[in-house]
């Protein structure tokens, strides 16, 4: 077992016990994203609250443990934060994932999401990890546009 | 145990990476040769020695190093020609990979400057492929029919992973200009009934191309006996270097085809407003070719011939029999492809209930150093056909052992425990 | 002596072949780097080590070796991008050589499936090249106009071997879709006035491609500063392996172009009847790429950067000055190309009265181990322009010395004696 | 200087003192061959005599020493022999030239032409050596066809 194993306990935990899974009403925007190369899918809803806060992120989907766990972590990190805060987390997560294993993760910003650092070395898996996060960014833009 | 005349322990010593430790102290169990094979010292050293001590451009250079490189490069062509039983060495064209070879042939059709009726293509004409093809034998033909207005048709695949030739006469008709199918599937392991396809194609005057990327590395394949018109394969899957592939074609067809890429080496004479072209094979080798890579491929076929293609085939057959048995014992494992040894190679793709192949592959690697391939293996339509997004694939080669298959089975049990 | 900050004796030790003895005990005097360069140990060992111990397919593989190969391959892209000052690494496309890069761009025009007005091409549209081009920057455009009915036009060359831009406005007009010229001539050594060509092309909205096969190895070339739309070059001329070339293009153009070859790796999703494509650079890298070759090119640019491109340029400038002087003393020698250091690289082509270049080259090799290139150097139209069938060409690189130029001059005197 | 130098004395001799050079009348066939890659050219005439003998081979051309010397050697080897004999010499010479330096030359058949053995290792020069010989073969076929 190597130090940087992709399957951190935390990822498996989120996979087996996903947080906030299921599609909930009401919502401001719903998006459906697919990764055509591996068939991973996610449907994701965003509900904005007061003072630029994210009131709820609800989702449903299918795919590998990385894609599913990433959605669960996303739910935890975004719900209750301001839109602005969450978008900077998304940016940091994207930077980490696209860094090909050479980027140092900022734990303060990423929290639990640092568990995905090992994924960055596998380009084919990066898309799995990013699927829900890209869907979230998309949904936020759409809900803000309403 | 497999019964074979091949000393696998001795062979493993020829491949330095096989005794490597992966980070974290894992041994390497390499079951991904269908994706790309490992390289024996003989190939690595040929590449090194040529690059370091004999390198120069080929053909055009008229000095000692030029002669050494040209001689080595053209000898590699001789070796490959002999390895595949090509009627003529000039029918062996070096490309960068199998994909270029397939694209080269696809681009030969429907070129407005070429009036040879075998290579004209337009609305009403048809191209036939199959549902089990690698993307490299699908997309070039999609491009072709998009450019020309011709129609793309395809063989289906049966539930047990065979080419569905039930309606071969309805599929291959007088309108068919070319049929291009895999000799052996890179997912199912299925070896396709080339003779049946050829027979029908000949009846209607269609050309036949075989994507032999998965057969030439594993079986003695003889161009004359095979009887196809074009055959593509790739060096990196047959213990050769990356950056080198092969197109074999019948000389009279290659002569009739327009050139594909233009540039140095492929010309006879150039004026500003027109050019004449070199005879094959050079007509299709524009620019400086992958010189050292071709020479490395020559060393690879020498190596394979030294071991013996019959011995390699027998060894892989033994491994496949062993693996088919062993995998049957893994709960919920579903094999995608023939479950008997009949007309199949050493490639086994499967699913496990409720566990995504990406997770299977990554855990096998993370915990045991077992390298398998997971995903759609560049054959997405085949996976759509079976209603699954992905499979896990183990593929064997001359250096694999039954111990490694045991390790795979143990690994799969572990994966099932982790995700239980 | 040349004045330079480059320690040529130390550098020569990095290239094992330079201390090799040719058959018959001749030392090697390698003056053919314009054809293809030699390889330093750093490159050879990178190739060897990767092939032997870290090899696997890239991108698609999800295991330890797959990660190592992918990381090394994509790092090579980073290195090349930085070396040429590419605004984005995704603009660096790996091809098998410069010829493929040029063909790729030429095939992007006039594809019936692509309606982007920058890439449509038909009767009335024009493509502009020059009379000093390498065949690899002529023939692809001939193919293009033959396929589409467009017109090919070209810059002439002045008597002193410069691009004749006197009538640039008459040549590059509103009808011009693309201008493709050499950055530096492989025969004349001339460095072309890119800024003048770009200015005129921008006035009329034409795209500009540069064949930088002879400039990138020898000068610090910066894509952002250069301002062209497409740039092609090739690994084997810049101390890299064979089998690897580069196309750089502006991202927004690469995005707008149709794919060239179809196959694995260049797709996003494939159905039997259509496909969607991966973003650049992968959209243009069909099939298994030249993995180890790209990694070797990465080591090559590391090596060149380590020596310093400014130092290399200064060293070559010193050699060129020395050679221009020395060759002036050889009776009847006629230089084809600029005889001053102004806007020229370290490539000198010439004729000797009454002696065919083939004989010059072969005797230099036979008797002294001096490797020069003889013939038309894949630039036949340029030779026709000067009314000669062939020239002898000496081309220098970072490892050449003034002693080697002295040897060349002695050799030429001997050749004249033999054929007197 | 290497043993297999391309510039055997004999080749230089023939180049400097070409045998039978110049176009002569009468003749049965004349051909003009060009090597477009290097610009070598030859015009060659054949006159057939009695009993299937070659009465004269006359030629003119330009190019490198190899192409010019090959024409001179050709003249010597063919004039006075039977068509059949000369064609077997042409075949043997072609085999030697295309053998990439790996074919053993048959001195009995080739005579002086074995001096060209060193050329076979340089594909670009093979065409120089073969230019006049291919032209000869062509001319013989044409004169026989008359
Ligand atoms: C100016 C120029 N363009 C293009 C090429 C073609 O490069 P390659 O043979 O690597 O395709 C060369 C070298 O052969 C060259 O010198
Ligand atoms: C059946 C089949 N065809 C074509 C290819 C493409 O080969 P390459 O990637 O070398 O172009 C492969 C392997 O990737 C294959 O398995």
């Amino acid at each position: 077992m190597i130090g940087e194993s992709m399957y951190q306990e935390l990822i498996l935990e989120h996979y087996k016990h996903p947080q906030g899974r299921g599609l909930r009403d009401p919502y401001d925007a719903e998006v459906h994203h697919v990764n055509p190369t591996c068939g991973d899918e996610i449907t994701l809803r965003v509900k904005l609250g007061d003072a630029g806060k994210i009131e709820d992120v609800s989702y449903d989907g299918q795919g590998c443990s990385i894609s599913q766990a990433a959605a669960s972590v996303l739910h935890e990190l975004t719900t209750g934060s301001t839109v602005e805060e969450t978008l900077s987390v998304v940016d940091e997560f994207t930077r980490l994932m696209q860094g090909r294993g050479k980027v140092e993760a900022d734990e303060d910003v990423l929290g639990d999401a640092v568990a995905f650092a090992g994924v960055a070395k596998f380009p084919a898996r990066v898309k799995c990890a990013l699927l829900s996060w890209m869907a979230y960014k998309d949904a936020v833009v759409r809900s803000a546009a309403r | 145990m497999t019964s074979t005349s091949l000393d696998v322990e001795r062979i493993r010593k020829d491949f330095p990476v096989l005794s490597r430790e992966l980070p974290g102290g894992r041994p390497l169990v390499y079951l991904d040769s269908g994706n790309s094979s490992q390289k024996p010292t003989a190939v690595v050293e040929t590449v090194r020695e040529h690059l370091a001590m004999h390198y120069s451009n080929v053909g055009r250079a008229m000095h000692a190093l030029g002669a050494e490189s040209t001689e080595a490069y053209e000898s590699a062509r001789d070796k490959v020609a002999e390895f595949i039983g090509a009627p003529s060495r000039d029918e062996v064209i070096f490309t960068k990979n199998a994909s270029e070879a397939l694209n080269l042939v696809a681009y030969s059709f429907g070129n407005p400057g070429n009036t040879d009726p075998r290579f004209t293509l337009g609305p009403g004409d048809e191209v036939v492929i199959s549902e089990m093809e690698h993307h490299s034998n699908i997309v070039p033909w999609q491009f072709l029919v998009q450019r020309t207005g011709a129609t793309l048709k395809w063989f289906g695949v049966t539930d047990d992973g065979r080419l569905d030739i039930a309606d071969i006469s309805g599929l291959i008709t007088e309108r068919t200009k070319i049929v291009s199918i895999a000799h052996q599937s890179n997912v199912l392991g299925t070896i396709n009934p080339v003779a049946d396809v050829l027979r029908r194609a000949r009846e209607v005057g269609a050309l036949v191309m075989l994507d032999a990327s998965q057969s030439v590395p594993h079986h003695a394949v003889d161009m004359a006996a095979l009887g196809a018109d074009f055959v593509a394969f790739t060096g990196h899957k047959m213990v050769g270097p990356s950056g080198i592939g092969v197109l074999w074609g019948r000389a009279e067809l290659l002569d009739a085809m327009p050139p594909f890429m233009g540039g140095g080496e492929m010309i006879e004479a150039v004026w500003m407003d027109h050019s004449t072209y070199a005879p094959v094979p050079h007509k299709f080798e524009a620019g400086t070719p992958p010189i050292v890579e071709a020479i490395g491929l020559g060393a690879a076929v020498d190596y394979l011939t030294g071991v013996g293609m019959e011995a390699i085939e027998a060894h892989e057959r033994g491994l496949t029999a062993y693996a088919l048995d062993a995998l049957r014992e893994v709960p919920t494992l579903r094999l995608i492809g023939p479950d008997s040894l009949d007309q199949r190679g050493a490639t086994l793709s499967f699913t496990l209930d409720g566990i995504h192949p990406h997770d299977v592959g990554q855990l096998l690697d993370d915990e045991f150093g077992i390298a398998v391939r997971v995903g759609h293996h560049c054959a997405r339509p085949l996976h759509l056909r079976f209603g699954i997004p992905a499979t896990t694939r183990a593929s064997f080669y001359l250096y694999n052992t039954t111990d490694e298959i045991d390790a795979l089975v143990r690994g799969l049990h572990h994966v099932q425990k982790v995700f239980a």
Side-chain angles (χ1 to χ4, degrees), chain B residues 187-249:
Chain B
V187 177
L188 307 164
T190 308
I191 297 172
N192 281 322
V194 172
D196 293 326
V197 173
L198 267 170
R199 197 175 312 113
R200 177 59 187 159
R202 294 304 178 226
E203 279 172 20
V204 298
L207 298 173
V208 173
M209 175 155 204
L210 294 180
D211 174 0
S213 303
Q214 295 287 344
S215 57
V216 164
H218 303 283
H219 317 278
V221 178
D222 184 272
M223 294 302 116
L226 201 57
D229 298 303
F230 301 104
V231 173
F233 56 98
T234 195
H236 66 89
K237 293 193 206 280
M238 50 195 286
V239 312
S242 53
I244 184 78
V246 174
L247 171 66
W248 172 85

Side-chain angles (χ1 to χ4, degrees), chain B residues 77-389:
Chain B
R77 199 190 305 278
D78 291 335
K79 290 176 186 188
V80 171
E82 202 189 319
F83 185 70
I84 60 170
S88 159
R89 69 180 300 277
D90 294 338
E91 295 173 337
V92 172
I93 292 157
F94 286 127
T95 60
K96 73 170 166 179
N97 53 26
S99 302
E100 185 188 343
L102 289 156
N103 279 276
L104 191 166
V105 175
Y107 268 106
S108 302
F109 288 85
N111 184 323
N114 186 283
T115 54
D116 187 293
R118 289 167 295 188
F119 294 99
T120 56
L121 198 82
D125 292 324
E126 295 177 354
V127 172
V128 174
I129 58 175
S130 95
E131 218 174 356
M132 69 167 78
E133 297 311 312
H134 188 281
H135 295 158
S136 293
N137 198 24
I138 298 177
V139 184
W141 307 108
Q142 290 180 344
F143 287 173
L144 174 60
V145 300
Q146 283 161 14
R147 278 197 308 273
T148 57
T151 303
L152 188 64
K153 293 165 72 180
W154 51 86
F155 284 100
V157 172
T158 65
D159 287 341
D160 57 342
R162 301 281 180 188
L163 196 71
D164 185 354
I165 57 170
D167 186 32
I168 192 167
S169 306
L171 188 65
I172 303 178
T173 70
E174 301 287 340
R175 288 184 299 278
T176 310
K177 298 294 285 252
I178 183 162
V179 181
S180 185
I181 57 164
H183 192 196
Q184 177 173 325
S185 160
N186 69 317
V187 177
L188 307 164
T190 308
I191 297 172
N192 281 322
V194 172
D196 293 326
V197 173
L198 267 170
R199 197 175 312 113
R200 177 59 187 159
R202 294 304 178 226
E203 279 172 20
V204 298
L207 298 173
V208 173
M209 175 155 204
L210 294 180
D211 174 0
S213 303
Q214 295 287 344
S215 57
V216 164
H218 303 283
H219 317 278
V221 178
D222 184 272
M223 294 302 116
L226 201 57
D229 298 303
F230 301 104
V231 173
F233 56 98
T234 195
H236 66 89
K237 293 193 206 280
M238 50 195 286
V239 312
S242 53
I244 184 78
V246 174
L247 171 66
W248 172 85
R250 283 185 196 286
E252 87 257 25
L253 293 172
L254 296 174
D255 288 342
M257 282 154 63
F260 171 38
M261 291 199 253
E265 297 303 302
M266 58 70 69
I267 55 92
E268 182 188 54
V270 176
W271 294 262
M272 285 310 290
D273 58 353
H274 75 288
S275 300
T276 55
Y277 312 117
V280 291
H282 301 290
K283 173 173 141 186
F284 294 108
E285 296 182 355
T288 301
I291 300 169
V292 180
E293 294 65 28
I295 294 168
L297 179 58
V301 305
D302 280 350
Y303 181 84
L304 293 175
T305 304
V307 176
M309 290 308 293
E310 266 74 27
I312 292 171
E313 189 178 54
H315 177 70
E316 290 186 18
R317 213 174 162 72
L319 292 174
T320 308
Y322 188 93
L324 283 172
D325 275 350
L327 291 180
R328 251 177 229 120
E329 286 165 32
V330 178
T332 82
L333 185 145
R334 173 182 169 213
L335 188 74
I336 309 292
D339 65 358
S340 82
L341 284 177
D342 183 41
Q343 296 297 309
R344 70 129 52 240
T347 298
L348 289 88
S349 299
F350 55 85
T351 59
L352 294 180
D353 249 19
I355 311 180
H356 195 286
H358 281 177
D359 291 322
V360 176
Q362 208 92 49
L363 261 182
L364 288 176
D365 172 60
D366 258 21
E367 311 260 332
F368 305 101
I370 299 171
V372 293
R373 186 164 172 198
V374 293
H376 53 48
H377 321 308
C378 298
R380 189 170 176 270
L382 179 66
H383 283 78
L384 294 179
R385 149 74 181 82
F386 282 99
I388 46 180

Side-chain angles (χ1 to χ4, degrees), chain A residues 109-124:
Chain A
V109 178
L110 286 183
D112 274 7
V114 293
F116 289 84
V119 176
K121 284 185 305 172
F122 297 88

